[in-house]
């Protein structure tokens, strides 16, 4: 049976290992002390909370299908129904239903919401009057470069940016339309009115379908279940530092572990690593791929998780949370009311309410360059401003994700194609992870499956 090394024990690497079960002898090396990558958890006030991704995209099937395949199907759960809410112009303002990445199919639905000024609303309503030639095949431009011409700058800043920032921690003026919003790019390629296309339901979203799903007990359960179901040998605290080709045509990986240096050989290697780490290992074998991988920029982010005693904090906010447009000038980009969003939390821990606050956007590293205590104070202060909350948390936890989110700049799709072409010239080597086709859990699962299938 062929031997395969998977470098990186995040959900993409674990999915690749699971996909190869029964077809190869697989060993996973993970630099951290546990598998899962950004699917992680920690203890807060005596309970476990997700400190990374707390849900998976349900509008595409890969993550949900994987959860079912590894025995977690019965524990999949929908969030409590609640509108997408923006902290904008000094108040929490729900987005009307039926929007796509903040864009309403019918601008009249925004009337009275206070989300846009009368001028911004009038500009958005003129979208159908503006001729829009089809986006040329293979052409790319920034999200703002396309949508500002279609919808107006205010709609992009106030409606699109907060949702896009919640996913990528990126800015519309830097992010690629083709890479970050492929569905909208497909509509742009057809030309005509974007709003008319949204009303025609050409986005692929089933009416009433939940956009995300969670796992009772925490999304962190997914990587452990995948690792167990894969049958792979998993070595944690093992960081790959060199990749060599042997005279016999096999791959050799040198790693540093808690027990000292480790040298392993295999017929094939899956690089399920961040772009910068993969670039370092590939430099000697494919300078072109390494250069493109090294060009992928990243955003730092942080999560402040707060636990409240509901008996002492009667004014805990309702709803599932809110997003914050960058033009508001706040450090906080989003807040999630975990105990309200996932009812199983309140059922299991009725004496605790958990809220998490996300900070960090591309180009705002300075906001995170403060001690944990100050970051937690900022998160609590802005949460109080947004919601009117007066209570004091009984516990708090700061989790930092340095270079945690790759930025899909203009030309990213072509960059990924060049990387895959270059890596494809190295027999027995493939890549996967958040740097390629999407940063969400479902996209990373798809990336891991693709890497295994390529082998």
């Amino acid at each position: 049976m062929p031997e395969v090394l998977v470098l990186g024990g995040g959900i993409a690497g674990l999915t690749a290992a699971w996909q190869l079960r029964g077809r190869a002898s697989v060993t996973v090396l993970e630099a951290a002390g546990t598998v899962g990558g950004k699917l992680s958890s920690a203890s807060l006030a005596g309970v476990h909370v997700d400190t990374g991704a707390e849900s998976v995209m349900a509008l595409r099937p890969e993550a949900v299908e994987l959860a079912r395949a590894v025995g977690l199907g019965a524990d999949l759960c929908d969030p409590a129904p609640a509108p997408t809410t923006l902290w904008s112009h000094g108040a929490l303002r729900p987005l009307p239903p039926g929007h796509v990445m903040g864009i309403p199919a019918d601008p009249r639905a925004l009337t009275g919401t206070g989300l846009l000024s009368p001028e911004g609303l009038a500009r958005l309503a003129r979208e159908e009057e503006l001729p829009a030639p089809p986006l040329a095949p293979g052409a790319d431009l920034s999200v703002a470069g396309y949508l500002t011409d279609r919808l107006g700058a205010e709609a992009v800043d106030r409606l699109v940016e907060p949702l896009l920032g919640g996913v990528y921690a990126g800015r519309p003026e830097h992010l690629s339309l083709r890479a970050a919003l492929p569905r909208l790019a497909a509509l742009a390629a057809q030309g005509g009115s974007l709003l008319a296309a949204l009303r025609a339901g050409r986005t692929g979203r089933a009416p009433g379908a939940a956009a995300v799903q969670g796992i009772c007990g925490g999304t962190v359960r997914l990587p452990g279940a995948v690792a167990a179901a894969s049958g792979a040998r998993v070595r944690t605290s093992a960081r790959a530092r060199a990749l060599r080709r042997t005279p016999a045509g096999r791959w050799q990986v040198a790693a540093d572990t808690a027990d000292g240096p480790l040298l392993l050989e295999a017929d094939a290697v899956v690089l399920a690593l961040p772009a910068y780490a993969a670039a370092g290992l590939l430099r000697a074998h494919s300078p072109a791929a390494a250069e493109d991988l090294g060009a992928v920029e990243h955003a730092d982010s942080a999560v402040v998780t707060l636990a409240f005693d509901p008996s002492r904090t009667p004014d805990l906010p309702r709803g599932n949370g809110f997003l914050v447009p960058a033009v508001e000038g706040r450090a906080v980009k989003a807040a999630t009311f975990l105990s309200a969003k996932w009812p199983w939390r309140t059922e299991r821990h009725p004496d605790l309410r958990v809220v998490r606050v996300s900070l960090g956007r591309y180009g705002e590293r300075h906001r995170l360059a403060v001690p944990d205590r100050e970051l937690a104070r900022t998160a609590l202060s802005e949460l109080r401003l947004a919601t009117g909350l007066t209570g004091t948390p009984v516990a708090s936890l700061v989790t930092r994700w340095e270079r945690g989110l790759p930025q899909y700049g203009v030309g990213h799709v072509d960059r990924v194609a060049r990387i895959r072409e270059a890596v494809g010239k190295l027999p027995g080597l493939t890549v996967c992870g958040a740097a390629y086709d999407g940063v969400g859990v479902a996209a990373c699962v798809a990336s891991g499956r693709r890497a295994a299938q390529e082998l």
Side-chain angles (χ1 to χ4, degrees):
M1 185 175 288
E3 294 178 295
V4 178
L5 288 174
V6 176
L7 307 186
I11 192 61
L14 294 174
T15 299
W18 178 82
Q19 190 75 24
L20 291 167
R21 69 197 186 285
R23 302 180 182 183
S25 174
V26 181
T27 299
V28 178
L29 299 186
E30 167 54 45
T34 58
V35 296
K38 296 177 190 65
L39 289 174
S40 65
S41 70
S43 178
L44 177 71
V47 303
H48 283 283
V49 294
D50 287 312
T51 53
E54 42 84 26
S55 63
V56 303
M57 179 63 69
L59 297 181
R60 55 181 297 174
E62 295 90 351
V64 172
E65 288 176 351
L66 179 63
R68 292 186 178 124
V70 299
L72 296 177
D75 293 326
L76 287 166
C77 55
D78 289 344
T84 302
T85 300
L86 305 181
W87 183 22
S88 184
H89 297 300
L92 295 179
R93 305 177 187 274
L95 269 169
H99 67 88
V100 175
M101 193 52 70
I103 305 170
D106 185 353
R108 292 173 297 181
L110 293 174
T111 304
T113 63
L115 287 165
L116 294 184
S117 68
E119 296 78 13
L121 191 56
R123 172 65 181 81
L124 178 61
R126 290 200 305 273
E127 191 270 344
E128 293 186 64
E129 304 171 7
L130 303 173
L135 189 65
D140 196 16
L141 66 167
S142 71
V143 171
Y146 175 72
L147 290 182
T148 300
D149 286 345
R150 304 303 314 144
L151 311 176
E154 187 181 352
V156 173
D157 289 342
R158 292 280 174 183
L159 303 179
V160 178
E161 186 281 333
L163 278 80
L164 197 63
V167 177
Y168 289 95
R171 301 298 187 112
E173 59 268 28
H174 297 299
L175 290 173
S176 157
L177 180 70
R178 289 176 65 201
L181 297 178
R183 288 181 177 175
L184 292 185
L187 295 180
Q190 299 173 21
S193 167
L194 180 61
L195 299 187
L198 295 181
R199 279 200 301 279
R202 286 146 59 187
T203 62
R205 178 170 179 170
V212 299
Q213 284 193 300
I215 296 173
C216 293
T219 308
V220 72
R221 294 178 59 199
L222 180 60
V226 176
S230 73
R233 294 179 295 276
V234 177
R235 292 285 303 264
T236 56
S237 301
R239 183 182 300 276
R241 58 176 173 81
L243 178 67
R244 304 185 185 95
R245 192 76 161 164
T246 71
R250 304 184 84 211
W251 290 102
Q252 188 180 79
V253 174
D256 295 322
T257 76
D259 301 320
L262 177 68
L263 195 64
L264 296 173
E265 279 193 17
D267 300 290
V269 173
V270 178
L271 294 180
L273 298 168
Y276 50 86
L281 294 179
L282 281 172
R283 194 159 286 118
H285 308 282
S286 178
E291 182 178 358
D292 270 323
L293 283 163
V296 177
E297 297 185 279
H298 292 75
D300 297 343
S301 63
V303 173
V304 178
T305 311
L306 307 166
F308 295 88
D309 181 342
S311 67
R312 300 179 187 176
T313 314
D315 53 356
L316 281 165
R318 297 182 180 275
N320 291 351
F322 59 85
L323 299 163
V324 188
V327 292
E328 289 289 325
R330 304 292 182 183
V332 168
K333 68 178 182 181
T336 307
F337 311 149
L338 289 178
S339 296
K341 183 176 181 178
W342 305 112
W344 64 264
R345 284 201 167 275
T346 301
E347 293 170 4
R348 296 187 185 185
H349 310 291
D351 299 328
L352 203 67
R353 299 291 184 270
V354 180
V355 177
R356 81 179 207 167
V357 180
S358 300
L359 307 93
R361 298 180 177 91
Y362 176 74
E364 292 188 358
R365 181 171 290 182
H366 62 282
R367 290 191 183 274
L368 305 184
V370 297
D372 284 359
R373 183 176 297 181
E374 184 175 340
L375 202 63
R377 279 199 301 266
T378 297
L380 180 59
S381 174
E382 295 194 3
L383 179 66
R384 285 171 169 163
L385 281 174
T387 65
L389 179 71
T390 60
T392 300
V394 298
S396 64
L397 174 70
V398 175
T399 307
R400 296 177 183 265
W401 298 104
E402 184 178 356
R403 295 193 288 181
L405 284 166
Q407 299 297 290
Y408 288 8
V410 175
H412 183 79
V413 172
D414 292 336
R415 176 182 292 123
V416 170
R418 292 194 302 268
I419 292 169
R420 287 200 166 113
E421 181 181 7
V423 172
K425 297 175 182 177
L426 302 171
L429 195 67
T430 189
V431 296
C432 63
Y436 304 97
D437 306 305
V439 300
V441 178
C444 289
V445 169
S447 183
R449 289 175 59 180
R450 172 176 177 160
Q453 289 163 355
E454 287 173 350
L455 290 185

